[in-house]
Amino acid sequence: HNPNAKVLYVTSETFTNELINVIRNENQNAVMEFRNKYRNIDVLLIDDIHFFQNKDGTQEELFHTFNALYDSFKQIVFTCDRPVSELVNLADRLRSRFGRGLNVDLSLPSYETRRAILEKKLVSMGMQISNDVIDYIAQNVASNIRDLEAALTRITAYSDITGKELTLEIAQQ
C-alpha cells in the first residue's frame, strides 16, 4: 500500500551488536547515526526479542527507540519464542509497551497447512512426488516449517544423488 515506506528488519542480536559498536566508538556522530537509522523509519521489525533479556543498556536504547516510533505513529513488530509475560529480566516499562499492541500466538500449522506448504515448495522447486510421500512428510513433521522443508529437501536430494525413484519406503527411511 505504501511503496515509499522505509522498512527495517533486524535481529535482536544485530540491534545489540550495532549499539555496542556505537558505544565503543565513543563518537557522538555514530550515536546519532544509529538513532536516525532506527527512529526515522516507517516500520521496524525486530526478531527474537527474548535476546534482550539481561541486557539493560540495549533495553534502555530500545525503550527510547520504541517511544520515538510509537509517538510518530509508526509500526513496530517484534517476534519472540514465548509470550512477553514469560520473559525474565526485561524492564517493566518495555514489557508494558510490548503489551500495548496486538499480541499474536502463532501455533504449529495443521496437517492441511503442512501439506499445502509442501505442495507449494515442490512447485517452486519444479518437482513432483507422489501424494503418499507428501502425506507421509506432512503427517510426521509437525514441529515447524523449517523442519518440514528440510525433510523435503533431504528426501529429494537423496533421490537425486542415488538415482532412485522417490517412494514412500525411501521417505520412511
Side-chain angles (χ1 to χ4, degrees), residues 56-89:
D56 297 337
T58 304
Q59 288 182 37
E60 180 72 20
E61 187 61 35
L62 181 63
F63 171 77
H64 294 294
T65 298
F66 184 101
N67 285 343
L69 292 170
Y70 184 83
D71 292 344
S72 298
F73 304 101
K74 304 301 181 180
Q75 294 292 310
I76 309 162
V77 179
F78 297 130
T79 67
C80 191
D81 65 357
R82 64 199 85 140
V84 173
S85 60
E86 293 178 13
L87 294 177
V88 295
N89 298 320

Side-chain angles (χ1 to χ4, degrees), residues 6-7 11 27 29 36-38 40 50 55 69 74 78 83 102 105-106 111 115 118 145 150 163:
K6 290 191 273 183
V7 179
T11 64
N27 178 338
N29 287 336
N36 286 334
K37 175 181 178 178
Y38 285 96
N40 293 321
H50 48 275
K55 293 180 177 56
L69 292 170
K74 304 301 181 180
F78 297 130
L102 175 63
D105 180 24
L106 301 178
Y111 163 78
R115 193 172 197 305
L118 290 169
I145 293 171

